[in-house]
Amino acid sequence: MTKAEQLVQLNTKWLTECTCELRKVATQGVPGFGNPDARIVFIGEAPGAKEDKEGRPFIGAAGKFLSEMLESINMKREDIYITNIVKYRPPENRDPSADEIASCAKWLEEEINIIDPLLIVFLGRHSMNHFFPAEKISEAHGVLLNGKYFGKLRHFLPLYHPAAALYNGSLREVLKADFARIPQILKMVEKERLCDSPI
Ligand code: URA
């Protein structure tokens, strides 16, 4: 099966089986979207109003800003895969609870296993803290983190959430500067994976 086929199967399964309480109030589930062969996976927090309505992640104002930043490093949305730690919209866009995050966690784990990206980029503290509970986004943003995720060593880059940076000029500059590091980080982790692969 191709990665695209595996993702279709995965999302069909979880859209019926996910036990997240937010299912009762959200319009629909919002699975990850993008290139199944992407080298980078971006992970946000939870769908907002537009995403809830359309069933696609990051298509509102924060998503537009993200697309602009991708362009600034010569990448397109078609190059990446994007998802959220929680697949259902919390009412009034409140923060997702620990239970809601936990009930969507297996879905996220399986998405990552299928795509097997070189780099995972966290958009905001909620997604970072799901993987690294002790880190603070004000200190960890722009810093490459390494860690084992379900048995496999992976590389992670925490960034401020684009929605937080959208209306805050100084955060916006920080996010742009962190984003500009992505091509160089990708090259580095790609080289490392090539060195690790059997001849
Ligand atoms: N913010 C997120 O974290 N995810 C989305 O899909 C949209 C906005």
Side-chain angles (χ1 to χ4, degrees):
M1 256 203 285
T2 64
K3 288 185 180 185
E5 288 164 344
Q6 290 178 63
L7 284 170
V8 170
Q9 200 177 66
L10 177 85
N11 292 330
T12 308
K13 175 185 140 194
W14 282 112
L15 281 167
T16 51
E17 290 180 9
C18 188
T19 56
C20 184
E21 285 289 308
L22 291 170
R23 275 183 82 167
K24 295 177 187 155
V25 288
T27 307
Q28 59 188 315
V30 180
F33 187 82
N35 186 341
D37 298 303
R39 296 185 304 157
I40 314 186
V41 168
F42 284 77
I43 308 179
E45 181 182 326
K50 193 150 188 213
E51 290 80 15
D52 175 70
K53 194 161 166 238
E54 308 281 333
R56 290 258 297 268
F58 281 94
I59 53 168
K64 195 163 168 274
F65 183 36
L66 182 72
S67 299
E68 278 172 34
M69 279 186 302
L70 282 168
E71 275 167 33
S72 75
I73 57 166
N74 292 319
M75 291 186 83
K76 295 190 283 293
R77 283 290 280 260
E78 298 88 286
D79 298 324
I80 64 150
Y81 182 88
I82 191 157
T83 190
N84 285 301
I85 45 169
V86 169
K87 308 293 198 261
Y88 296 88
R89 183 190 181 208
E92 316 299 329
N93 296 343
R94 65 157 167 76
D95 290 349
S97 71
D99 277 353
E100 290 153 5
I101 294 173
S103 47
C104 293
K106 192 85 187 137
W107 190 345
L108 177 66
E109 177 202 329
E110 292 178 5
E111 271 180 303
I112 292 173
N113 281 346
I114 292 171
I115 299 165
D116 191 22
L118 286 171
L119 180 66
I120 294 173
V121 176
F122 301 131
L123 296 173
R125 70 186 165 92
H126 292 284
S127 105
M128 178 188 73
N129 287 147
H130 176 57
F131 293 76
F132 296 92
E135 294 290 345
K136 290 194 167 57
I137 194 74
S138 55
E139 291 163 10
H141 72 87
V143 178
L144 186 66
L145 303 174
N146 303 312
K148 274 213 167 159
Y149 181 61
F150 292 97
K152 181 152 183 175
L153 183 67
R154 296 206 175 272
H155 303 288
F156 305 90
L157 181 69
L159 298 181
Y160 280 111
H161 195 290
L166 205 49
Y167 306 107
N168 177 326
S170 55
L171 272 196
R172 206 183 161 98
E173 291 314 305
V174 174
L175 180 55
K176 278 186 188 166
D178 289 344
F179 225 89
R181 299 196 54 223
I182 291 178
Q184 186 207 348
I185 290 174
L186 255 186
K187 261 193 202 154
M188 197 175 79
V189 295
E190 194 157 37
K191 222 168 155 185
E192 199 182 292
R193 191 175 282 192
L194 286 176
C195 290
D196 284 347
S197 59
I199 302 167

